[in-house]
Amino acid sequence: MTDWVLDRCRMYKFKPWAAMTSNANIITCDADDVKHILIDKFGNYVKGPKFHERFADLLGNGIFVVDGDLWKQHRKAASHLFATKKLRQFQEIAFQRDALLLSKILTKKAESNAEFDLQALFSALTFDSFCTLAFDNSFDVLRETDATNRRPDFLRAFDDSVSTLNRRFSTPDWLWKLKRALRVGREGVFVADRKLIMSFVNKITRERRQISDEELNERRDLLSAYVVYAKKNNLEQEMLTDAYLADVVLNFILAGRDTTASLLTSLFRVLHHHHAIRDQIEAEIDALTADSSATLDLNTLNAAEFLHATLLETLRLFPPVPVDVKMAREKDTLASNNELLPNEDVTYHIAGIQRNPRNWGDDADKFDPNRWIEKRGPAFANDATMNAYFPAFNAGPRICLGKTMAFAEAKTAVFVLMKHRIRVAVARDDRLDDFKVFMNGPVLQFRGGLPCTASLR
């Protein structure tokens, strides 16, 4: 779907256009519209009941599918948790440990010239790291994925479930509801997968309930901090129910794993095509780690200016969440003069916005990290509106709380792999301008994975 929509964005010269859906959907690649929707009129644009209905079977009333007071409660708690020094220190340990394991796996792949699915390995890496941060429990999925060349049952069930729920957006409501009731097709598989998922999640939440208050205060993971926050603020009845904690866990997993894995997979795919950029990043990392006593802390990661610019450029051209949709609560007129009636949807195509020449200049389709260093192009004219031109991390009150964490994880992986002199090559015919290689889903993922080989420089 991403390639189809992006083609039409180009066909309409990146101006808003109407999609023939049951909900009068307008698709826009206009940064002014995004600013209007996500920032200026934030209160009028919501996920809406249809969005919630389609994802609630898995994500419940979690932060990614709710609006209003419940969203504010989730957001307030999460804002507090992501700002703690304890979590920042914990993430350094988890990210480096898992990246080091991946470097060992890829070194062996290079020595044996074995082909592997890079997307699957990065997905396992980010799952292990985030489960450590979220629950203080690594499930060793990266090691298992490498050993068996398949996803563990929980991960397969979770991925397939998200894909099934996303298909509901392009399926008549009566049809997917009928299939769910009859338990046939993908909806039938989802019913079984959900039982497996909930068994996994309930085990995590039950164990957390049994921990003493003293031990909870000593722990560094997000879920423990969530429980402590609820107790300190007298919110046990609302926030410490089985259903609420399950929603927190599943929304954590969705947020903390897929998007960073998508970024890392796209980055190494890009470097396969742009050796000069790869060489410059390698040289930058070699210089920053030349002193054997140097620690791989946040200061070292942030000193890699060209790597940061390259990650931003990867996010611009290959945003992990390429499309998002909001519902207008009340009648409104967008900045592009398109009118929306109450309960009508508007889709903002993030990939289109971030490739729009009006936002990024005539070379908008060119992969050039230096545009971020030189601040070249219309998008850089005003820092206050930058997120509307570059909504890869959302914008406004819903801007991603895990942005700094995502960059830290991605940079740690790149530092560790390049420090161990690992290079990756795509093992099939590949063109960066081919969006048909991606699956139809909420997160940009390669259909059938990304077969690669590794070598040592």
Side-chain angles (χ1 to χ4, degrees):
M1 182 62 75
T2 296
D3 62 300
W4 182 85
V5 176
L6 189 56
D7 285 346
R8 272 146 189 79
C9 287
R10 297 185 195 284
M11 184 173 74
Y12 290 104
K13 301 186 185 301
F14 292 93
K15 295 178 181 178
W17 52 283
M20 301 303 292
T21 69
S22 60
N23 215 32
N25 199 315
I26 292 172
I27 297 179
T28 183
C29 299
D30 190 313
D32 291 332
D33 281 348
V34 174
K35 180 174 178 291
H36 181 92
I37 295 162
L38 300 183
I39 302 173
D40 298 340
K41 291 290 188 74
F42 170 77
N44 190 48
Y45 290 92
V46 296
K47 296 281 187 177
K50 287 288 186 183
F51 188 98
H52 179 268
E53 181 182 40
R54 289 161 182 163
F55 270 110
D57 285 342
L58 181 65
L59 301 179
N61 289 314
I63 190 170
F64 291 105
V65 293
V66 295
D67 300 298
D69 290 341
L70 188 53
W71 171 78
K72 290 177 183 176
Q73 184 185 70
H74 279 300
R75 181 79 180 190
K76 184 177 180 180
S79 298
H80 169 77
L81 304 183
F82 275 89
T84 62
K85 182 179 179 181
K86 190 186 292 186
L87 180 64
R88 288 196 299 273
Q89 293 171 338
F90 193 28
Q91 74 182 29
E92 285 184 15
I93 297 169
F95 292 162
Q96 290 180 42
R97 178 202 66 201
D98 294 332
L100 185 59
L101 173 58
L102 179 60
S103 74
K104 292 177 180 177
I105 290 171
L106 292 183
T107 297
K108 290 181 179 178
K109 301 289 188 190
E111 292 169 348
S112 63
N113 199 32
E115 189 174 299
F116 56 91
D117 180 359
L118 184 65
Q119 178 172 264
L121 291 179
F122 277 138
S123 181
L125 168 84
T126 55
F127 182 79
D128 278 345
S129 293
F130 197 76
C131 283
T132 299
L133 294 180
F135 322 123
D136 199 7
N137 190 346
S138 173
F139 298 96
D140 222 7
V141 168
L142 178 56
R143 202 183 304 272
E144 183 178 345
T145 300
D146 174 51
T148 64
N149 201 29
R150 59 181 291 274
R151 292 173 294 172
D153 289 341
F154 171 83
L155 213 53
R156 193 274 315 153
F158 188 81
D159 289 345
D160 290 355
S161 294
V162 172
S163 177
T164 296
L165 299 189
N166 188 69
R167 282 174 174 262
R168 292 178 176 181
F169 286 86
S170 56
T171 305
D173 287 345
W174 67 268
L175 183 55
W176 69 257
K177 289 178 181 179
L178 178 62
K179 288 182 175 181
R180 180 182 61 182
L182 297 175
R183 301 191 178 188
V184 298
R186 291 176 62 118
E187 289 287 345
V189 175
F190 167 67
V191 172
D193 282 344
R194 185 181 181 279
K195 289 182 180 179
L196 187 156
I197 292 167
M198 295 313 298
S199 174
F200 174 90
V201 169
N202 289 334
K203 182 174 182 291
I204 293 172
T205 57
R206 277 197 307 270
E207 289 174 352
R208 204 49 41 97
R209 287 180 185 284
Q210 296 168 2
I211 295 175
S212 67
D213 288 351
E214 183 179 1
E215 186 179 348
L216 279 171
N217 281 303
E218 292 297 320
R219 294 177 73 107
R220 299 170 292 181
D221 62 280
L222 281 166
L223 187 58
S224 296
Y226 215 97
V227 174
V228 170
Y229 174 89
K231 290 184 174 183
K232 282 184 176 179
N233 291 276
N234 298 315
L235 294 169
E236 290 101 325
Q237 289 188 341
E238 299 105 305
M239 295 177 62
L240 299 186
T241 65
D242 289 341
Y244 195 103
L245 286 177
D247 295 345
V248 169
V249 169
L250 287 166
N251 280 259
F252 274 166
I253 292 173
L254 181 67
R257 170 201 157 224
D258 289 347
T259 51
T260 307
S262 174
L263 167 60
L264 281 166
T265 308
S266 291
L267 171 69
F268 278 86
R269 179 190 181 218
V270 165
L271 298 184
H272 164 77
H273 290 273
H274 292 280
H275 290 179
I277 294 173
R278 179 201 64 195
D279 294 349
Q280 189 169 342
I281 295 172
E282 289 174 345
E284 184 175 56
I285 290 174
D286 287 347
L288 288 169
T289 58
D291 184 351
S292 59
S293 64
T295 58
L296 192 54
D297 57 15
L298 201 56
N299 290 331
T300 303
L301 296 177
N302 289 340
E305 182 184 27
F306 189 72
L307 170 59
H308 186 69
T310 305
L311 287 168
L312 288 169
E313 188 71 344
T314 304
L315 286 165
R316 186 181 73 84
L317 289 180
F318 304 100
V321 180
V323 179
D324 206 351
V325 61
K326 291 287 187 287
M327 186 195 82
R329 296 172 61 193
E330 299 175 358
K331 183 178 178 181
D332 192 30
T333 302
L334 298 176
S336 56
N337 290 322
N338 285 282
E339 187 176 275
L340 287 165
L341 297 176
N343 302 321
E344 283 189 343
D345 288 340
V346 55
T347 295
Y348 54 102
H349 196 274
I350 296 168
I353 293 161
Q354 295 178 175
R355 287 172 176 261
N356 187 338
R358 290 196 298 276
N359 302 336
W360 298 93
D362 292 338
D363 65 344
D365 279 325
K366 180 182 178 183
F367 191 93
D368 183 7
N370 285 311
R371 75 173 74 243
W372 294 92
I373 297 170
E374 300 165 4
K375 297 191 181 302
R376 176 168 24 94
F380 296 98
N382 187 340
D383 288 344
T385 60
M386 182 61 190
N387 288 334
Y389 290 91
F390 182 66
F393 288 100
N394 215 318
R398 279 192 182 260
I399 195 165
C400 177
L401 289 171
K403 177 179 178 179
T404 301
M405 180 185 288
F407 275 124
E409 183 172 18
K411 290 176 184 178
T412 300
V414 177
F415 259 78
V416 171
L417 295 183
M418 289 192 171
K419 187 176 180 181
H420 286 83
R421 312 185 72 78
I422 294 167
R423 287 177 171 174
V424 171
V426 179
R428 69 182 183 196
D429 291 337
D430 186 61
R431 297 194 339 266
L432 286 178
D433 62 352
D434 182 8
F435 263 76
K436 292 181 175 63
V437 297
F438 297 111
M439 296 190 300
N440 178 25
V443 175
L444 201 68
Q445 293 180 319
F446 291 90
R447 185 179 287 109
L450 187 65
C452 291
T453 57
S455 60
L456 302 177
R457 61 184 168 105

